[in-house]
Amino acid sequence: MTAKHWKLDTDRDNIVWLSVDKADSSTNTLSADVVAEFSAILDEMRSPKPRALIIRSGKRSGFVAGADIEEFTRISSTQEALAIVRRGWDVMNKLAAMPFPTLALISGYCMGGGLELALACRYRIAVDQPGTRFALPEVMLGILPGWGGVMRLPRVVGPSAALDMMLTGRSVDARRARLMGLVDASVPERIMENSARMMALEAPARHRLALLQSLTNTPLLRPLVASMARKQLAARARREHYPAPYAIVDLWQKYDGDPFAPPAGDPASMATLVEGETARNLIRIFRLQERMKSLGKESDFEARHVHVIGAGVMGSDIAAWCAMRGLTVTLQDQNAKALAPAMKRAGALFKRRLRDKRRIRDASDRLIPDVAGDGVRRADVIIEAIFENLEIKRALFAKLHAAAKPGAILATNTSSLKLADIGTALADPSRLVGIHFFNPVAQMQLVEIVSGANTDGQAAKDAAAFVRQIDKLPLHAKDSPGFLVNRVLGPYLDQALRLVDQGMAPETIDAAMTQFGMPMGPIELADTVGLDICMHAGQALAGGNAEPPKRLAHLVTAGSLGKKSGRGYYTWRDGKAQKGAAGAVTEELIQRLIAPYLKEAQAVVAEGIVADADLADAGLIFGTGFAPFTGGPLRYLSAKTAPR
Ligand code: NAI
């Protein structure tokens, strides 16, 4: 047969090398036609039989990114969803039953259906390089790995490691995959083909689980492991909000991962999941995330050198993040003393995130302290993150503008000042753009790209491309107080803090909002952000016209600024708020607390602060953690008023 998406070569040892190379696409996904061709190729291989089959990718970008999510978003019935599950399930079973050695040679990402394909092979070899990553991220879309993942992963790595991967969607790199037994070998790129050939020819005994691990996969011990997993899940996500992780545990425990075994209506069934609102909303968020990523493709701007001015809370983390993402970074502050803690923090971040010694060293080498500001002349992007003071910022930009090279992005990280006001200090204000990061930089994916009245459209597009380059999610916003995220959070926090003034316990308020699905309650959030920053932001948003909440003002005057000073609305110990018991949470309280948030989200869309309601939803989910299962505040509102 002639295949469009697969390439077949038989070598002199009669090993078939099968490369997946999806036509007209930069990424391999297992769409209907890719799977159909694969199935036909496997059928043809039954006779004459090859000595072995090695499956690899024909693309440099990676192995297989997963099923085709676009197909999933187009389905209009449960039957169509189940048909997608059926064809993947069947083909993986066919692959697993091939009567000769099969091996997946994996370099780059190997996600979802891609990993399920690899798991259906007898052997797996990973190429040890930074981009090689394995994950079953279906849970993040509110569905489950229905192409054999729930059945095979526990058999290969043991139930507890498998559940951890499936319930969090977390990825593991080549070395970790080797350690946990997910792959049989992890090898450098230059020997990958030889290693695969040797293993296919030698056909060693299959990797076996240690006795204890295989015992936990028996019907006798599964209920115990499952009940532990459910307990851990309950602490993180409620079943009515996020049914998929619970379904995964059930499907493994009761049906050995066979997605067609649960009867209709069983919560472990794929049908129940795809019929629910959560999967629909999570898939929508996935697509919105892709849309935000595409905002970075409107320019081919590419930065090599970033200069950050101000090595405080934000500047130091922005600089470290950029260095970690491969850019050369110069970091400037008023004196060397101010830079020392920033370099130390950066070192800790590299250690935590990169782990590998050589990569940590390389990132540290790329981050250069620069008191004299020599980097300004060479930088492609200059990010200002100094004190929130208009006159100081204006003075700085006047100097920067003269020194920067033509075409460099001039960016401010200001939270509350108007770009237009800073811009008047520049001979050419069209080059000034806001690149507004959130705290903590390493954790927050969203970055607002703020255009002032004079900002050139191209500068904003270049800034979005830069934000993608450092692997964050850009969102264009207008130069209006609080932009998107702080504007919406402001009234929500303000009301919560005023309820404390009226005598309501912070614990009760926080419990109400976590029950709603927020990752953190508003009082704990205020303590985490810093009460001085909250007060300042609140005043800026209210245009200086409102009295701050009483307790807030009192705490700030007393120097109790929240988490960073160990005391705020809560006492903080070891980075954790020490909470007492919460009072009763009613639906009325929940609705009262969330109302200002929802109202402001509507206002932001009406005023055109962001392009449309979809992007506002995405921005608020990635910037404030608004309960993802709802699909975002505006989607939540429309579902409430017009249920499907
Ligand atoms: P910070 O007070 O922690 O750090 C400011 C740093 O700038 C200090 O190290 C100071 O020595 C340095 N600096 C001041 N003037 C300078 C000058 N002329 N040249 C060189 N360095 C100078 O401030 P933070 O919190 O990092 O805020 C910085 C900017 O980021 C502000 O515009 C703020 O609105 C914004 N921002 C802050 C967030 C936060 O949560 N802290 C979140 C998002 C934005």
Side-chain angles (χ1 to χ4, degrees):
M1 67 175 275
T2 50
K4 214 168 122 203
H5 307 294
W6 299 83
K7 201 169 129 264
L8 226 117
D9 287 306
T10 306
D11 70 12
R12 60 188 143 75
D13 294 316
N14 196 24
I15 297 175
V16 171
W17 294 75
L18 180 61
S19 304
V20 50
D21 193 355
K22 190 177 182 196
D24 308 319
S25 168
S26 58
T27 311
N28 284 328
T29 52
L30 298 176
S31 55
D33 47 347
V34 175
V35 172
E37 279 188 9
F38 183 43
S39 183
I41 290 169
L42 292 180
D43 286 340
E44 284 192 1
M45 251 179 232
R46 283 177 203 277
S47 112
K49 273 193 328 204
R51 174 133 179 216
L53 166 66
I54 295 174
I55 302 174
R56 60 175 170 179
S57 166
K59 299 206 192 291
R60 291 291 306 167
S61 59
F63 185 68
V64 174
D68 184 348
I69 307 227
E70 280 303 313
E71 278 178 6
F72 224 86
T73 61
R74 283 197 302 266
I75 52 172
S76 56
S77 70
T78 308
Q79 276 62 37
E80 282 177 46
L82 293 183
I84 294 181
V85 180
R86 167 62 71 190
R87 65 170 183 250
W89 169 255
D90 284 350
V91 80
M92 298 314 168
N93 286 343
K94 192 183 282 184
L95 172 61
M98 294 314 267
F100 43 78
T102 50
L103 183 149
L105 176 56
I106 300 144
S107 125
Y109 45 74
C110 175
M111 306 291 189
L115 179 51
E116 290 175 301
L117 187 154
L119 284 166
C121 290
R122 199 184 296 177
Y123 313 110
R124 286 157 293 284
I125 293 183
V127 178
D128 184 9
Q129 58 185 30
T132 298
R133 302 209 74 85
F134 300 85
L136 288 178
E138 286 81 355
V139 72
M140 296 185 191
L141 299 176
I143 52 179
L144 52 79
W147 291 0
V150 181
M151 173 173 75
R152 294 194 176 95
L153 189 61
R155 292 180 189 175
V156 173
V157 302
S160 93
L163 287 174
D164 184 61
M165 275 183 83
M166 292 191 290
L167 301 182
T168 60
R170 253 200 299 269
S171 66
V172 296
D173 62 14
R175 286 180 203 186
R176 176 97 195 95
R178 172 72 194 99
L179 283 175
M180 66 198 285
L182 179 54
V183 297
D184 301 276
S186 161
V187 302
E189 188 173 7
R190 70 194 144 74
I191 61 162
M192 66 179 191
E193 276 156 7
N194 261 337
S195 309
R197 181 178 296 113
M198 297 286 282
M199 193 174 284
L201 289 175
E202 281 171 17
R206 239 177 228 272
H207 151 83
R208 284 205 177 282
L209 277 182
L211 181 66
L212 187 68
Q213 284 184 324
S214 59
L215 278 180
T216 53
N217 207 16
T218 56
L220 193 68
L221 288 184
R222 273 189 201 182
L224 189 73
V225 180
S227 100
M228 271 162 35
R230 284 192 199 98
K231 213 176 272 165
Q232 283 173 7
L233 269 181
R236 288 204 316 261
R238 298 154 69 95
R239 187 165 196 156
E240 66 265 37
H241 293 165
Y242 296 99
Y246 293 90
I248 290 171
V249 177
D250 287 358
L251 190 68
W252 167 69
Q253 182 200 338
K254 298 180 192 155
Y255 305 104
D256 194 24
D258 176 352
F260 296 98
D266 189 314
S269 79
M270 192 70 153
T272 310
L273 290 181
V274 297
E275 280 162 11
E277 277 295 316
T278 297
R280 193 178 301 263
N281 285 333
L282 293 180
I283 289 171
R284 170 170 178 269
I285 293 168
F286 174 85
R287 297 188 71 192
L288 289 175
Q289 185 177 356
E290 295 298 303
R291 191 174 155 206
M292 286 164 95
K293 287 183 183 171
S294 72
L295 296 175
K297 293 191 186 137
E298 291 171 354
S299 150
D300 49 17
F301 179 88
E302 205 183 329
R304 285 218 296 269
H305 179 163
V306 180
H307 184 76
V308 180
I309 308 172
V313 174
M314 294 304 288
S316 61
D317 283 4
I318 294 169
W321 181 264
C322 291
M324 198 168 75
R325 305 310 310 179
L327 291 158
T328 299
V329 182
T330 38
L331 177 58
Q332 181 183 356
D333 205 303
Q334 289 159 322
N335 48 54
K337 211 170 127 225
L339 287 172
M343 303 303 283
K344 217 170 134 198
R345 269 165 71 104
L349 175 74
F350 300 155
K351 233 187 190 153
R352 207 168 57 237
R353 290 291 184 104
L354 298 174
R355 281 182 258 157
D356 178 272
K357 266 199 198 125
R358 216 183 54 226
R359 293 173 65 203
I360 295 173
R361 192 200 54 212
D362 290 349
S364 307
D365 286 351
R366 285 191 294 266
L367 179 58
I368 306 156
D370 178 18
V371 177
D374 293 331
V376 171
R377 272 173 284 118
R378 292 193 305 271
D380 308 303
V381 180
I382 300 173
I383 302 175
E384 168 277 310
I386 65 171
F387 299 139
E388 190 73 329
N389 175 301
L390 180 61
E391 285 320 311
I392 310 185
K393 287 201 200 268
R394 282 170 53 88
L396 178 68
F397 272 104
K399 275 195 276 175
L400 282 180
H401 189 255
K405 67 179 187 188
I409 296 179
L410 295 181
T412 171
N413 186 44
T414 184
S415 289
S416 58
L417 299 173
K418 256 187 118 48
L419 239 69
D421 293 338
I422 302 175
T424 50
L426 279 75
D428 175 10
S430 69
R431 288 170 60 194
L432 181 69
V433 57
I435 300 187
H436 186 229
F437 289 83
F438 294 91
N439 186 15
V441 174
Q443 278 161 41
M444 300 298 291
Q445 280 182 278
L446 184 75
V447 175
E448 291 171 333
I449 309 290
V450 186
S451 290
N454 297 315
T455 304
D456 173 38
Q458 190 57 42
K461 287 179 185 166
D462 292 351
F466 162 67
V467 165
R468 274 313 295 149
Q469 196 186 338
I470 57 168
D471 209 17
K472 297 278 180 196
L473 294 174
L475 179 64
H476 293 288
K478 268 196 199 152
D479 186 15
S480 129
F483 316 130
L484 169 70
V485 167
N486 289 345
R487 160 94 182 260
V488 173
L489 276 181
Y492 162 70
L493 291 184
D494 185 75
Q495 177 185 255
L497 298 179
R498 286 181 200 282
L499 282 177
V500 178
D501 284 353
Q502 290 165 26
M504 189 172 288
E507 285 87 350
T508 310
I509 296 174
D510 282 348
M513 283 297 88
T514 48
Q515 200 165 312
F516 176 75
M518 299 301 240
M520 184 186 278
I523 310 295
E524 186 175 344
L525 179 63
D527 259 6
T528 305
V529 169
L531 298 183
D532 49 340
I533 291 183
C534 283
M535 187 148 109
H536 187 255
Q539 281 166 339
L541 277 176
N545 295 329
E547 278 288 306
K550 283 200 185 53
R551 177 101 185 267
L552 176 67
H554 175 76
L555 286 166
V556 171
T557 315
S560 301
L561 305 180
K563 187 175 181 179
K564 61 187 167 191
S565 54
R567 190 178 289 272
Y569 281 85
Y570 294 109
T571 301
W572 288 78
R573 216 171 291 137
D574 301 329
K576 283 210 170 73
Q578 306 299 304
K579 293 187 180 178
V585 170
T586 58
E587 184 57 29
E588 194 218 326
L589 175 62
I590 291 177
Q591 290 305 327
R592 179 167 172 206
L593 283 166
I594 202 65
Y597 186 118
L598 300 173
K599 186 168 157 233
E600 211 61 26
Q602 283 175 307
V604 158
V605 175
E607 289 172 33
I609 306 298
V610 287
D612 54 50
D614 280 350
L615 284 178
D617 271 348
L620 290 166
I621 285 171
F622 291 105
T624 75
F626 189 89
F629 72 92
T630 62
L634 297 151
R635 166 96 191 107
Y636 171 77
L637 271 174
S638 60
K640 234 170 65 158
T641 46
R644 230 168 22 100

